[in-house]
Amino acid sequence: MLTASGLSTRLKIWGVRGSIPVPGPGTVRYGGNTSCVEIRADDELIVLDAGSGIRELGLALENEFGSRPINLSLLITHAHWDHIQGLPFFVPAYNDKNQIQILGYDGAGSDLREILNGQMATPFFPIALYDLPGKIKIQRLESMDFKIGNVHVRSKFVNHPGVCVGYRVLTSKGSIAYLPDHEPYEAFKLHSAKSHLLSPEQTQKRAREDRAELVKFLQGSDILILDTQYTDEEYEAHVGWGHGSLSTAISLAIDTSVRKLILFHHDPTHDDEMIDKMVQTARKLATKRESYLEVDGAREGAEMTLG
Ligand SMILES: [Zn+2]
Ligand SMILES: [Zn+2]
């Protein structure tokens, strides 16, 4: 478990999957839980997304803190199930000593509070979110630049169905970018241009501009946790589904001078062996570009330190 310390920024991965949890013998090494990442930095405890991985995090936190209160900020990227489904099972929310600040943006047509209350409303769950004993505050974000204590956070809308952001968490020891769900602009724009009245030239220009903005947002991150749900071959059959592919992830990481790329949001059909192969392919692609980029596959329980 991570310990609070002002000396370094630490990150621990609790959930790695996209779409749905997939426990079983084929996912033992990388893990089967959906998105959840813990960051400890500058005396803050920040959690990124509340996929099913947050359940184990909750148990570990209660074990670590004992009778001491837990004070944490939970940043939600978007309200797809795989990013909020663990919240009803997050044990710290059931204890009145704890303070949980939930931050996120409104979804398409509905506000964050409604969405989080909705998944725990009758008939979906036996206990309402507002009946939980923990001191839970839901805060709708409007600014794309804010602070959690001394930690500076920037956000950016990314290319994913509905409303979805990526976060860049800037700590005193370095920065972590988290884009669990994002489709590269290039092929997507050409694909969706068919239903709009844009020429291929206009479409490509817009895709280049959108990518350039993303490059600026990510520039120089120490760690980039990025959606690489598909191999390049799989992506061909899933353009428009809102997820990334290996070679576009490698080129984005290299163009943004990221130090370490973490392949994230593993497809539910990918077992450990498949993810091993994807990591190998990604490393080869980076070597081919004569880059020093470090590449790893997101694995539950993995810890990283900055500073
Ligand atoms: Zn997702
Ligand atoms: Zn999503």
Side-chain angles (χ1 to χ4, degrees):
M1 131 197 11
L2 286 180
T3 49
S5 161
L7 297 175
S8 57
T9 289
R10 294 191 242 185
L11 175 154
K12 184 165 179 177
I13 299 176
W14 294 91
V16 297
R17 270 312 137 172
S19 311
I20 190 165
V22 281
T27 60
V28 167
R29 279 190 293 114
Y30 286 98
N33 280 302
T34 52
S35 304
C36 182
V37 172
E38 175 193 9
I39 295 172
R40 303 271 182 115
D42 304 312
D43 295 322
E44 294 298 326
L45 203 175
I46 297 171
V47 181
L48 301 166
D49 278 336
S52 66
I54 203 171
R55 193 191 76 88
E56 291 269 353
L57 167 62
L59 296 171
L61 288 174
E62 280 300 342
N63 192 30
E64 175 189 343
F65 281 76
S67 58
R68 287 183 297 130
I70 302 166
N71 190 344
L72 66 88
S73 301
L74 167 60
L75 289 170
I76 302 286
T77 56
H78 66 310
H80 284 167
W81 270 344
D82 48 328
H83 300 260
I84 61 169
Q85 65 195 166
L87 190 59
F89 304 93
F90 188 48
V91 171
Y94 289 77
N95 198 326
D96 65 4
K97 72 180 171 66
N98 300 324
Q99 290 200 34
I100 300 165
Q101 181 186 208
I102 305 176
L103 304 136
Y105 298 85
D106 284 352
S110 43
D111 82 35
L112 179 68
R113 185 181 304 272
E114 273 172 34
I115 295 164
L116 296 177
N117 280 328
Q119 78 160 345
M120 293 178 72
T122 310
F124 303 115
F125 201 71
I127 308 159
L129 180 61
Y130 46 77
D131 278 341
L132 294 179
K135 299 177 188 79
I136 300 171
K137 196 172 115 196
I138 300 175
Q139 197 186 323
R140 183 177 64 187
L141 290 168
E142 277 163 11
S143 167
M144 306 306 277
D145 197 319
F146 56 95
K147 288 194 97 174
I148 297 173
N150 287 320
V151 177
H152 185 175
V153 183
R154 284 193 205 128
S155 35
K156 184 175 189 324
F157 291 110
V158 293
N159 191 28
H160 192 64
V163 173
C164 180
V165 297
Y167 290 108
R168 180 148 179 203
V169 180
L170 298 115
T171 76
S172 59
K173 306 294 177 201
S175 76
I176 296 156
Y178 176 71
L179 268 70
D181 295 52
H182 170 69
E183 177 164 358
Y185 293 104
E186 304 86 334
F188 170 80
K189 291 277 179 181
L190 282 174
H191 168 81
S192 61
K194 288 172 200 151
S195 54
H196 295 90
L197 296 169
L198 291 175
S199 68
E201 294 73 31
Q202 285 171 311
T203 307
Q204 275 164 338
K205 180 173 175 279
R206 201 167 282 184
R208 274 198 305 273
E209 288 165 358
D210 286 341
R211 188 179 187 277
E213 264 184 47
L214 183 62
V215 166
K216 216 162 112 188
F217 175 75
L218 297 174
Q219 195 59 247
S221 301
D222 293 280
I223 295 173
L224 169 60
I225 301 171
L226 182 62
D227 181 349
T228 49
Q229 180 146 347
Y230 303 128
T231 63
D232 289 0
E233 296 72 33
E234 287 169 331
Y235 179 62
E236 294 298 314
H238 295 89
V239 174
W241 286 45
H243 297 293
S245 66
L246 280 184
S247 60
T248 53
I250 291 294
S251 73
L252 184 64
I254 291 175
D255 291 352
T256 51
S257 310
V258 161
R259 190 165 60 79
K260 187 176 181 117
L261 171 68
I262 306 289
L263 311 181
F264 195 73
H265 208 268
H266 304 314
D267 192 273
T269 64
H270 291 171
D271 61 10
D272 290 331
E273 252 175 66
M274 179 67 181
I275 298 169
D276 281 343
K277 278 187 202 147
M278 289 176 75
V279 173
Q280 293 311 324
T281 305
R283 285 177 181 159
K284 275 184 203 151
L285 288 168
T287 309
K288 225 186 211 173
R289 297 257 321 245
E290 296 177 357
S291 159
Y292 291 110
L293 176 71
E294 287 175 47
V295 183
D296 245 318
R299 183 176 55 74
E300 280 170 36
E303 294 186 25
M304 283 149 246
T305 306
L306 299 177

PDB file of all heavy atoms in Angstrom, residues 76 90 168 192 266 302:
ATOM      1  N   ILE A  76     -13.243  12.178 -11.596  1.00  0.00           N
ATOM      2  CA  ILE A  76     -13.926  11.298 -12.559  1.00  0.00           C
ATOM      3  C   ILE A  76     -13.686  11.835 -13.972  1.00  0.00           C
ATOM      4  O   ILE A  76     -13.904  13.025 -14.230  1.00  0.00           O
ATOM      5  CB  ILE A  76     -15.454  11.274 -12.261  1.00  0.00           C
ATOM      6  CG1 ILE A  76     -15.729  10.807 -10.824  1.00  0.00           C
ATOM      7  CG2 ILE A  76     -16.205  10.435 -13.283  1.00  0.00           C
ATOM      8  CD1 ILE A  76     -15.552   9.335 -10.562  1.00  0.00           C
ATOM      9  N   PHE A  90     -17.101   1.260  -2.387  1.00  0.00           N
ATOM     10  CA  PHE A  90     -15.911   1.920  -1.844  1.00  0.00           C
ATOM     11  C   PHE A  90     -16.124   2.091  -0.334  1.00  0.00           C
ATOM     12  O   PHE A  90     -16.870   2.970   0.113  1.00  0.00           O
ATOM     13  CB  PHE A  90     -15.744   3.277  -2.538  1.00  0.00           C
ATOM     14  CG  PHE A  90     -14.471   3.995  -2.216  1.00  0.00           C
ATOM     15  CD1 PHE A  90     -13.237   3.352  -2.268  1.00  0.00           C
ATOM     16  CD2 PHE A  90     -14.486   5.344  -1.875  1.00  0.00           C
ATOM     17  CE1 PHE A  90     -12.054   4.031  -1.992  1.00  0.00           C
ATOM     18  CE2 PHE A  90     -13.311   6.036  -1.598  1.00  0.00           C
ATOM     19  CZ  PHE A  90     -12.097   5.371  -1.656  1.00  0.00           C
ATOM     20  N   ARG A 168      -4.297  16.115 -16.182  1.00  0.00           N
ATOM     21  CA  ARG A 168      -2.854  16.168 -15.970  1.00  0.00           C
ATOM     22  C   ARG A 168      -2.634  16.655 -14.542  1.00  0.00           C
ATOM     23  O   ARG A 168      -3.025  17.777 -14.192  1.00  0.00           O
ATOM     24  CB  ARG A 168      -2.195  17.104 -16.987  1.00  0.00           C
ATOM     25  CG  ARG A 168      -0.698  17.161 -16.768  1.00  0.00           C
ATOM     26  CD  ARG A 168       0.069  17.366 -18.041  1.00  0.00           C
ATOM     27  NE  ARG A 168       1.481  17.435 -17.751  1.00  0.00           N
ATOM     28  CZ  ARG A 168       2.378  18.010 -18.516  1.00  0.00           C
ATOM     29  NH1 ARG A 168       1.998  18.552 -19.657  1.00  0.00           N
ATOM     30  NH2 ARG A 168       3.641  18.031 -18.167  1.00  0.00           N
ATOM     31  N   SER A 192     -15.720  10.082 -39.424  1.00  0.00           N
ATOM     32  CA  SER A 192     -16.954  10.812 -39.128  1.00  0.00           C
ATOM     33  C   SER A 192     -17.244  11.886 -40.170  1.00  0.00           C
ATOM     34  O   SER A 192     -18.365  12.371 -40.261  1.00  0.00           O
ATOM     35  CB  SER A 192     -16.905  11.424 -37.727  1.00  0.00           C
ATOM     36  OG  SER A 192     -15.838  12.322 -37.642  1.00  0.00           O
ATOM     37  N   HIS A 266      -7.165  -1.905 -20.931  1.00  0.00           N
ATOM     38  CA  HIS A 266      -7.029  -3.153 -21.692  1.00  0.00           C
ATOM     39  C   HIS A 266      -8.405  -3.671 -22.118  1.00  0.00           C
ATOM     40  O   HIS A 266      -9.355  -3.654 -21.339  1.00  0.00           O
ATOM     41  CB  HIS A 266      -6.347  -4.226 -20.830  1.00  0.00           C
ATOM     42  CG  HIS A 266      -5.016  -3.819 -20.276  1.00  0.00           C
ATOM     43  ND1 HIS A 266      -4.046  -3.202 -21.047  1.00  0.00           N
ATOM     44  CD2 HIS A 266      -4.491  -3.939 -19.028  1.00  0.00           C
ATOM     45  CE1 HIS A 266      -2.983  -2.969 -20.285  1.00  0.00           C
ATOM     46  NE2 HIS A 266      -3.219  -3.399 -19.066  1.00  0.00           N
ATOM     47  N   ALA A 302       0.811  -2.323  -9.515  1.00  0.00           N
ATOM     48  CA  ALA A 302       2.066  -1.676  -9.897  1.00  0.00           C
ATOM     49  C   ALA A 302       2.163  -0.304  -9.233  1.00  0.00           C
ATOM     50  O   ALA A 302       1.178   0.425  -9.150  1.00  0.00           O
ATOM     51  CB  ALA A 302       2.141  -1.522 -11.407  1.00  0.00           C
TER      52      ALA A 302
END
